[in-house]
Amino acid sequence: MSSPGSGIFSGFTKLCKGLAVILVGGHVVVQLLPISVTYLALIPARTIPFGWNLITAGYIEQSVHGVVVSTLGLLFMGKLLEPIWGSKEFLKFIFIINFLTSEKYLYMPLSGFHGVLAGFLVGIKQILPDQELNLLKIKVKWLPSLMLLLSIAISFFTPESATYLPTLIFGTYIGWIYLRFMQRKPESKLRGDPSEDFAFSTFFPEFLRPIVDPIASIFHRMLCGKSEVSSASQGYTLGGSPLLGSDPIEASRRRERGARALEERLAAEKLAAGRNSEEPHMDANDRV
């Protein structure tokens, strides 16, 4: 007999289930064969000749709580993001975040999926910024910022957690860079999300944005100057008028699609829960 709340744990995509198996399997391997960490985790000073660890490190969780958090985060956030992005784009996002989220430590085995989870939070911020979490009474757009703030605070009291900080910070930033400048939109054949609602300063409180915006624009010109030229050449604007995908209307449509997908999924889960709760009554009537 299924419980009424079983719908919460259903609807996971095949891709997310497969990646979850990889995460759990990787954890089991490093527990049974500790020496495998040397070959699978990222040890920057030893990346050569073990170049493959740039890819494998993101899927190796060395702690029990790490694999539990990563697996649950992958399943639940993937259930929301993959139907909107598509399986190919979802897998591409994971690969890019894992590959580009590099570390600065030497001779220390680093691994884990938490950089991708941080990137997922940025993706949810993009598509459902104004969705409110009932339990916390906060809007979804603040989740990446609160996650980083909480992680930084915890690192002061538990030195071990400080090793996660670079991955979380880089995962958040690279996730934003990818979604802001690189993600291709099939419907408009353009890249990125240049809307003001997804600017870098939106990760900060309102009163700090006048300070953050000028600093962010400096780094933007330094790091992404070529992207701006490329975007302009592709026609983000034409005669002063923004094209599809480069104005707030496109961003609004994206948020509407995300909200609609979330509503449909919640409705399906409630319907499944209702059917499950009716089954015992039907069985009892049949017996009578």
Side-chain angles (χ1 to χ4, degrees):
M1 181 178 67
S2 301
S3 61
S6 61
I8 299 176
F9 298 97
S10 63
F12 301 128
T13 66
K14 293 181 179 179
L15 176 58
C16 286
K17 290 178 181 178
L19 291 172
V21 170
I22 292 176
L23 289 175
V24 175
H27 175 71
V28 172
V29 168
V30 297
Q31 296 303 312
L32 296 179
L33 300 171
I35 193 174
S36 63
V37 174
T38 305
Y39 301 95
L40 297 176
L42 176 62
I43 306 178
R46 299 176 183 172
T47 296
I48 299 175
F50 307 142
W52 59 81
N53 59 32
L54 290 170
I55 298 175
T56 60
Y59 306 97
I60 302 298
E61 287 288 357
Q62 300 180 51
S63 63
V64 174
H65 66 272
V67 73
V68 170
V69 171
S70 293
T71 302
L72 292 178
L74 167 65
L75 291 173
F76 283 97
M77 287 192 277
K79 183 167 68 170
L80 173 63
L81 292 173
E82 187 186 342
I84 297 173
W85 288 350
S87 298
K88 182 179 179 180
E89 179 63 30
F90 182 75
L91 190 61
K92 179 182 176 182
F93 181 83
I94 291 176
F95 177 81
I96 289 177
I97 300 301
N98 258 338
F99 188 77
L100 295 182
T101 304
S102 58
E103 309 286 352
K104 300 300 183 182
Y105 299 109
L106 297 177
Y107 300 105
M108 182 178 180
L110 300 165
S111 61
F113 199 71
H114 37 282
V116 174
L117 297 184
F120 282 166
L121 288 180
V122 179
I124 295 175
K125 166 187 170 71
Q126 181 193 34
I127 63 176
L128 295 171
D130 296 320
Q131 182 75 30
E132 188 174 87
L133 299 177
N134 294 329
L135 295 178
L136 302 177
K137 299 298 181 182
I138 60 172
K139 292 186 177 180
V140 167
K141 64 182 180 182
W142 294 114
L143 287 182
S145 305
L146 291 176
M147 178 273 297
L148 289 178
L149 185 62
L150 182 61
S151 300
I152 293 172
I154 293 176
S155 67
F156 285 107
F157 302 98
T158 54
E160 179 185 353
S161 63
T163 60
Y164 291 91
L165 269 183
T167 307
L168 293 174
I169 293 172
F170 283 122
T172 301
Y173 184 64
I174 293 172
W176 176 79
I177 287 287
Y178 177 79
L179 296 174
R180 179 74 167 174
F181 301 107
M182 300 169 61
Q183 187 181 48
R184 183 181 294 276
K185 304 186 189 71
E187 67 274 14
S188 62
K189 297 182 180 180
L190 295 176
R191 293 179 180 272
D193 179 2
S195 65
E196 289 298 321
D197 293 334
F198 196 54
F200 183 72
S201 60
T202 61
F203 288 86
F204 297 85
E206 190 75 35
F207 70 91
L208 289 177
R209 291 178 189 176
I211 301 174
V212 174
D213 277 328
I215 299 174
S217 65
I218 294 174
F219 284 97
H220 175 69
R221 286 193 295 269
M222 290 171 57
L223 301 177
C224 306
K226 293 182 179 179
S227 297
E228 287 185 328
V229 174
S230 174
S231 298
S233 65
Q234 291 180 18
Y236 271 88
T237 60
L238 181 62
S241 300
L243 295 180
L244 179 63
S246 62
D247 62 353
I249 295 177
E250 178 63 23
S252 177
R253 290 173 179 170
R254 186 184 301 106
R255 289 193 294 269
E256 289 176 0
R257 288 197 300 270
R260 186 163 56 249
L262 177 62
E263 290 174 358
E264 292 174 354
R265 186 168 294 281
L266 291 176
E269 290 177 353
K270 288 181 180 179
L271 181 61
R275 290 176 178 174
N276 291 334
S277 63
E278 291 176 0
E279 288 178 359
H281 299 292
M282 296 177 62
D283 292 341
N285 292 334
D286 292 340
R287 294 192 189 98
V288 175

